Amino acid sequence: MKNIGRIVLVLLSLLSCGNHYQLPEKHISTVEVEHLLEDSLLNVRALEVVKETNGAYFLASNGKAGHIYNSDTDNSLNIVYPISMAPDSVKNNFRSLAITSKNGFGLSIESPARLYKIKKDEKKLVYQENHPKVFYDALDFWNDQEGIAIGDPTEACLSVIITRDGGNSWFKILCENLPKAKEGEAAFAASDTNIAIVGEHTWVATGGKSSRILYSPDKGETWQAFETPIIQGTETTGMYSIDFYDAKLGFAIGGDYTKPEANVANKIRTSDGGKTWRVVASGANPGYRSCVQYVPESNGKKLVAVGFNGIDVSNDAGETWKHVSDDSFYTIRFVNDSIAYAAGAGKVSKLHFK
């Protein structure tokens, strides 16, 4: 009995607030890929989770939309595709999508760039821009009322449009209020992850001959630019994707999609809110990847990167990586710490990380 008492006391002391006892952290080591929709003509770079159903919504390069949702009766996944966004005579190539608690928003890339407000069966055109150089890359929202989209320069700065009224109207920020673009600086519409938002903080990843961070601390009211050490210098190099775990810790990935095996200086990390960046895992795989996302509830330690050469995971904030699948994807979004949706050429899938 005395020994049992001692064991109980030891267990209580380990579980007390003074010792902060925790179980060993579980690492991601494998992924199971469940293909939900396969179509050789499908090309998806715009994908977002629908929190209410743990499902997803996506937009394709053919101008169509798709909806993945859970059945109320047996909790099975249902897929509706294709969903028309505009008359067939209107040709949209969608690369950007954002979802608030009230509406969805889809943005096409080239002139005329069209931004639609999506609510159930209603699709309303809320912004259009005609310009020979117009090319929009990413879209995101700070809250239900305020959102931002970014695109390649049509003048001396990146294109930045803002809404403050729930997406009903949008205005373009004047170049005099934005950092001047460097020669050959633009952005990549590879995965709709050029923008990262935490609270009122906003980071925009540029790429090309110059690859920088454009940062706003106040939801797009003021801006400044920070240099990065990622590979850059040609039109196909630089950051393709950025994500922030909190207001300080962020990660960016890219490289050169024309040299997908190249892995030198294509992964960078910040711990000071994007002001300074450090190259990590240089000369080690993965090479070019089009999207990187932090795993939720991972203390900023777990990352997943996808691209047309497969899926890679890191359990140590990007210092080392493990290749877990050759399945090709352009973009990925997490539902929770073990389930994500991913999309790319020919498919939309559900990923189970273990």
Side-chain angles (χ1 to χ4, degrees):
M1 292 295 291
K2 288 182 178 180
N3 288 335
I4 293 175
R6 290 193 185 100
I7 293 171
V8 171
L9 286 172
V10 169
L11 289 172
L12 287 173
S13 67
L14 288 172
L15 294 172
S16 70
C17 60
N19 286 277
H20 300 290
Y21 179 75
Q22 294 181 345
L23 294 173
E25 187 175 344
K26 183 181 178 182
H27 284 184
I28 295 175
S29 58
T30 62
V31 63
E32 293 180 3
V33 179
E34 176 187 0
H35 297 310
L36 303 177
L37 176 65
E38 294 182 275
D39 183 336
S40 61
L41 300 179
L42 190 65
N43 191 312
V44 178
R45 299 175 188 268
L47 169 74
E48 292 294 338
V49 167
V50 180
K51 294 180 180 179
E52 290 75 15
T53 63
N54 286 334
Y57 201 87
F58 61 90
L59 298 175
S61 62
N62 62 4
K64 304 298 183 181
H67 187 200
I68 302 165
Y69 64 95
N70 285 280
S71 170
D72 293 333
T73 55
D74 57 5
N75 204 37
S76 62
L77 278 179
N78 296 276
I79 304 170
V80 180
Y81 175 82
I83 300 171
S84 294
M85 289 289 294
D88 289 341
S89 59
V90 177
K91 303 301 181 183
N92 291 312
N93 183 341
F94 289 111
R95 302 280 185 94
S96 302
L97 170 67
I99 294 176
T100 69
S101 67
K102 299 180 181 297
N103 303 287
F105 294 87
L107 178 60
S108 65
I109 51 174
E110 297 169 301
S111 185
R114 301 184 182 96
L115 177 54
Y116 294 87
K117 181 180 178 181
I118 308 162
K119 188 163 187 174
K120 295 184 179 179
D121 294 331
E122 180 187 356
K123 289 87 179 179
K124 180 182 178 183
L125 182 65
V126 291
Y127 179 82
Q128 180 169 313
E129 186 173 338
N130 298 71
H131 192 284
K133 295 182 179 179
V134 70
F135 196 102
Y136 277 94
D137 305 288
L139 173 66
D140 208 342
F141 272 71
W142 293 285
N143 51 54
D144 284 347
Q145 292 299 309
E146 298 171 291
I148 178 175
I150 66 99
D152 294 352
T154 57
E155 299 178 59
C157 62
L158 250 66
S159 296
V160 180
I161 59 173
I162 300 281
T163 182
R164 305 289 188 194
D165 63 0
N168 292 312
S169 64
W170 296 74
F171 63 91
K172 193 167 187 178
I173 297 180
L174 297 175
C175 271
E176 62 192 56
N177 296 323
L178 288 166
K180 186 177 180 180
K182 292 190 174 184
E183 182 183 356
E185 183 179 22
F188 297 112
S191 62
D192 192 21
T193 51
N194 309 74
I195 305 170
I197 287 176
V198 176
E200 296 188 357
H201 301 276
T202 310
W203 300 267
V204 172
T206 72
K209 293 182 179 180
S210 180
S211 188
R212 300 185 296 170
I213 295 293
L214 306 186
Y215 168 70
S216 171
D218 49 17
K219 294 185 292 185
E221 293 288 347
T222 62
W223 292 86
Q224 57 191 126
F226 301 126
E227 302 292 335
T228 76
I230 201 163
I231 186 171
Q232 53 198 282
T234 69
E235 293 180 350
T236 55
T237 55
M239 290 178 285
Y240 280 72
S241 177
I242 187 174
D243 194 24
F244 269 74
Y245 187 79
D246 54 31
K248 295 295 184 182
L249 188 61
F251 200 92
I253 202 165
D256 184 342
Y257 83 90
T258 67
K259 302 174 183 177
E261 303 297 335
N263 54 25
V264 173
N266 73 314
K267 301 170 284 292
I268 59 174
R269 187 176 70 203
T270 181
S271 58
D272 61 6
K275 296 178 179 65
T276 62
W277 295 78
R278 181 171 69 87
V279 173
V280 295
S282 186
N285 287 330
Y288 165 78
R289 293 292 182 267
S290 57
C291 186
V292 65
Q293 294 284 279
Y294 278 103
V295 178
E297 306 300 324
S298 68
N299 293 319
K301 293 183 179 179
K302 298 177 186 177
L303 290 151
V304 174
V306 302
F308 55 69
N309 273 0
I311 307 170
D312 300 84
V313 301
S314 174
N315 292 290
D316 56 7
E319 293 290 341
T320 61
W321 293 80
K322 179 182 180 181
H323 188 71
V324 293
S325 174
D326 290 332
D327 281 279
S328 170
F329 294 103
Y330 295 144
T331 193
I332 182 172
R333 297 293 185 278
F334 275 90
V335 177
N336 54 42
D337 63 359
S338 59
I339 295 174
Y341 291 100
K347 57 184 178 289
V348 177
S349 307
K350 189 175 185 178
L351 308 187
H352 304 261
F353 291 94
K354 298 180 180 180

